[in-house]
Amino acid sequence: MKDNRNTKRTIAILQYLKHHTDENHPITMPDLLAHLESIHLPCKRRSAYASMDCLKEEGLPIHYRRKRPNGYYYQHEFSKAEIMVLLDDVNDSPSLSFEETNQLTTKLKHLLPSTQANNLPPSPTPFFKTENAHVLSNIEILLDAISTSSYVSLFYFDYDHTKTKVYRHNKLNYHLRPYAIISQQNRYYCVVQHMNGDLRNFRIDKMDHIKKLEKTFDPIQFQLDDYLEQNFGMYKANATTITAIIDESLLPVLYDRFGFNIIISNINEQAKTLTVNFKASISPTLVGYLLQFYDKITILKPQTLIDDFKQIATQIQNTYK
């Protein structure tokens, strides 16, 4: 009976320190004893010290602050700034449902003491969230399948004009080989080997009734970094060297998107332009991305990308005649 009370007291001390203290909000021993008495676990100072020594021996980060305000506190693994960044990412992700977002938000806030969690700035209401409330469980299944090189079965769907779920290929039950989970433009994708042998990107929030199968496969040679380099914006294509004249103000923007592998082959100081070369996959996403800088970029190569720009310009002109 005594051992049981000692265990309860030790757990109660840990819970209080973890949820209500940090380096700037420690608790004094008299206040801790008063708390234990309020939850019907009264004890003497020596017993409380013994409980804290036990927790420290187990490697828990409990410390004593000597300068004022002095007292005991729990050193949390995450800072308030780190949790805020994680919360923003969760809130902004359209791949997560409102339900999953709320669950993750609660869990992340519990990693902070109440003194910090209650002072976090409110997150804005997200513009869009998926209706699929099983994204996290889908990811869990895929991670398990990837680690064991197991097939997965699933249905893949879109939404029609009435916002009704419509399964692809008359509700075809896909049997796929998963290789990696990646995040692009706030969406989660699984890189899979399709039934025809091609590597493709399946959006996880569009997967339904996903199951890990007992059947396993021998993985092909797969380098995720190489795959991502050749798949701009999740559209499969081969990387192509693009040559363009850009306004010099656009260079930092392109660095942010394509990295520092951009080669500058000419500088026109008078016109304040640069001739640059960079690699990317020619895809609708790339074209859409570059079109937003229509007045600051002139494509010189390849001709296929120039033709895409011309076709879009013609279509826009015909639409607004």
Side-chain angles (χ1 to χ4, degrees), residues 98-203:
F98 281 105
E99 179 183 347
E100 290 172 317
T101 297
N102 291 335
Q103 289 173 356
L104 274 174
T105 296
T106 300
K107 289 179 179 180
L108 286 170
K109 286 185 175 181
H110 279 167
L111 295 174
L112 291 176
S114 58
T115 51
Q116 294 183 22
N118 294 336
N119 290 327
L120 285 168
S123 298
T125 302
F127 180 72
F128 174 79
K129 286 287 186 179
T130 181
E131 296 291 324
N132 188 347
H134 304 290
V135 173
L136 292 176
S137 59
N138 285 352
I139 292 175
E140 197 74 40
I141 294 169
L142 289 167
L143 288 172
D144 189 21
I146 291 169
S147 68
T148 57
S149 297
S150 299
Y151 278 84
V152 292
S153 68
L154 57 92
F155 300 107
Y156 203 55
F157 65 86
D158 296 299
Y159 290 102
D160 65 12
H161 64 285
T162 64
K163 301 180 182 178
T164 301
K165 189 183 296 184
V166 178
Y167 291 97
R168 292 199 183 174
H169 303 298
N170 295 318
K171 205 171 184 179
L172 172 67
N173 191 4
Y174 290 86
H175 283 212
L176 306 170
R177 301 176 177 186
Y179 279 90
I181 293 175
I182 55 181
S183 174
Q184 288 285 324
Q185 298 175 348
N186 284 333
R187 297 284 187 183
Y188 288 101
Y189 296 81
C190 185
V191 180
V192 301
Q193 190 172 19
H194 196 262
M195 293 180 288
N196 62 11
D198 291 341
L199 286 176
R200 296 189 183 180
N201 310 298
F202 276 52
R203 259 182 49 186

Side-chain angles (χ1 to χ4, degrees), residues 210-250:
I210 182 170
K211 294 179 183 178
K212 174 190 170 186
L213 304 179
E214 293 183 4
K215 183 180 178 182
T216 59
F217 60 90
D218 295 323
I220 61 172
Q221 197 76 18
F222 177 76
Q223 293 294 330
L224 181 58
D225 289 342
D226 293 341
Y227 180 82
L228 289 176
E229 272 187 25
Q230 298 175 14
N231 286 264
F232 184 97
M234 307 307 297
Y235 285 88
K236 192 171 186 303
N238 294 321
T240 302
T241 298
I242 298 169
T243 303
I245 297 174
I246 65 168
D247 187 285
E248 64 181 14
S249 65
L250 191 57

Side-chain angles (χ1 to χ4, degrees), residues 17-19 21-22 74-79 111-113 116:
L17 292 174
K18 197 170 184 179
H19 296 304
T21 69
D22 58 39
Y74 187 95
Q75 184 175 341
H76 295 268
E77 188 170 357
F78 290 92
S79 70
L111 295 174
L112 291 176
Q116 294 183 22

Side-chain angles (χ1 to χ4, degrees), residues 43 56 64 80 109 136 175 208 226 306:
C43 70
K56 290 181 196 176
Y64 182 78
K80 186 163 64 171
K109 286 185 175 181
L136 292 176
H175 283 212
D208 207 1
D226 293 341
I306 296 173

